[in-house]
Amino acid sequence: MKKLFLTLALASISALSFSQNCCDVAFASNDGNMAAFASDRAFIASHLAPFVYNHISEVGGTMIQFATADGQKANGYVVKAKKKTDKWLFVYQEWWGLNDHIKRQADVFYNDLGGNVNVLALDMYDGKIAADASEAGKMMQGVVETRLENIVKGGLDYVGKKAKVANVGWCFGGGWSLKSAIIGGKQTVGSVMYYGLSVKDVEKLKTLNCDVLGLFATEQWISKEVIEEFAGNMKTAGKGIKYKIFNAAHAFANPSNPKYDEAASREAYSMAIAYLKKKFL
């Protein structure tokens, strides 16, 4: 009986340890790929279904399609600047997909940048939108990295070689804000990461043409240790990074999230918009 109790206790400890360290394992084995998190029950449970929101753009936002190098089409939500300009902000979705909340946030950035910057929210799930965390996890696990890269490159082709591009994203999109900045090369002027998993490869980070603003949550997945390692890698790469870890849950900046933290979201957004305004001076 004692042996059975000990076995069960060890199994429980092992399971708890796996849940708590899932992020560290994923970070070590996946260079900025959050798909491993979708197998973590605690991560899934931490994402409550978003409130229903139907967005009607008041600034002319509309869905478009553009070609990608793999012979397919990609989707995006675009808001064009009041006057023709080569300034672009790429917006990257959470793991839910390019839903109406992301479209709303694209409009918010457009307005707060004075209508002087084009905004393009890229659809990284090719039209799919998740209604609950289980579905979102399956979608995030099901994406193919090369397809995502082709969507980003297709977006860059759409805006043209003269475009100056800053990036912003949340969660899954937070990681893609950084990846997009790397893919964009010399066209990139900035990257804002909201609680996204970073690229770990220092050689890739060395190719960045910008500094990074990180707006992180207090969580067990993209933990303080993971964030500090990223900051160390950026320093090794000779790149600038400014970051803050907010005393708020993962996805704290999403108003459609039941765990939305208004105070933390307001402060994080003020940092993000100030950063972006400087990039587009």
Side-chain angles (χ1 to χ4, degrees), residues 6-249:
L6 180 60
T7 300
L8 290 172
L10 288 172
S12 298
I13 292 170
S14 177
L16 178 60
S17 176
F18 173 80
S19 175
Q20 290 178 334
N21 293 319
C22 174
C23 177
D24 297 328
V25 172
F27 186 65
S29 60
N30 295 284
D31 201 20
N33 188 346
M34 292 184 69
F37 293 178
S39 299
D40 184 351
R41 294 178 183 176
F43 185 79
I44 293 174
S46 73
H47 287 74
L48 302 178
F51 296 130
V52 176
Y53 170 73
N54 295 312
H55 182 63
I56 299 175
S57 179
E58 296 181 357
V59 292
T62 186
M63 291 297 295
I64 61 164
Q65 284 194 322
F66 52 87
T68 55
D70 52 8
Q72 301 184 56
K73 294 284 188 180
N75 310 305
Y77 174 82
V78 69
V79 190
K80 290 291 187 71
K82 296 174 183 177
K83 296 181 180 179
K84 190 173 181 180
T85 179
D86 288 323
K87 298 175 181 178
W88 285 84
L89 175 65
F90 280 12
V91 176
Y92 288 97
Q93 69 200 43
E94 296 175 303
W95 75 336
W96 306 108
L98 179 52
N99 59 18
D100 278 14
H101 162 65
I102 299 299
K103 294 175 184 177
R104 173 188 176 277
Q105 196 58 47
D107 285 4
V108 169
F109 276 116
Y110 173 83
N111 280 325
D112 289 343
L113 290 169
N116 299 315
V117 176
N118 304 295
V119 179
L120 176 62
L122 292 95
D123 178 3
M124 304 297 275
Y125 285 174
D126 286 315
K128 297 177 182 177
I129 298 175
D132 58 50
S134 176
E135 189 177 10
K138 291 176 183 177
M139 287 183 183
M140 191 168 70
Q141 283 185 316
V143 294
V144 178
E145 190 82 0
T146 53
R147 173 58 182 161
L148 300 180
E149 291 174 356
N150 278 324
I151 292 172
V152 175
K153 292 174 182 177
L156 290 167
D157 288 341
Y158 172 78
V159 303
K161 293 182 178 180
K162 293 182 179 180
K164 298 300 180 184
V165 182
N167 306 271
V168 62
W170 305 262
C171 185
F172 166 83
W176 273 98
S177 172
L178 178 62
K179 289 182 179 181
S180 177
I182 292 171
I183 292 170
K186 293 183 179 180
Q187 287 186 256
T188 301
V189 296
S191 172
V192 180
M193 298 175 64
Y194 277 85
Y195 31 82
L197 190 61
S198 66
V199 170
K200 194 174 182 182
D201 187 334
V202 173
E203 294 306 311
K204 290 182 180 179
L205 294 176
K206 286 179 180 179
T207 68
L208 273 169
N209 192 52
C210 67
D211 60 344
V212 173
L213 174 63
L215 305 168
F216 296 104
T218 298
E219 56 174 296
Q220 69 191 61
W221 300 283
I222 303 171
S223 63
K224 182 173 182 288
E225 292 73 23
V226 169
I227 296 163
E228 289 176 345
E229 182 174 357
F230 172 43
N233 287 340
M234 286 287 285
K235 183 177 180 180
T236 301
K239 304 299 176 180
I241 180 171
K242 178 180 180 181
Y243 70 90
K244 178 168 182 175
I245 302 174
F246 291 84
N247 185 24

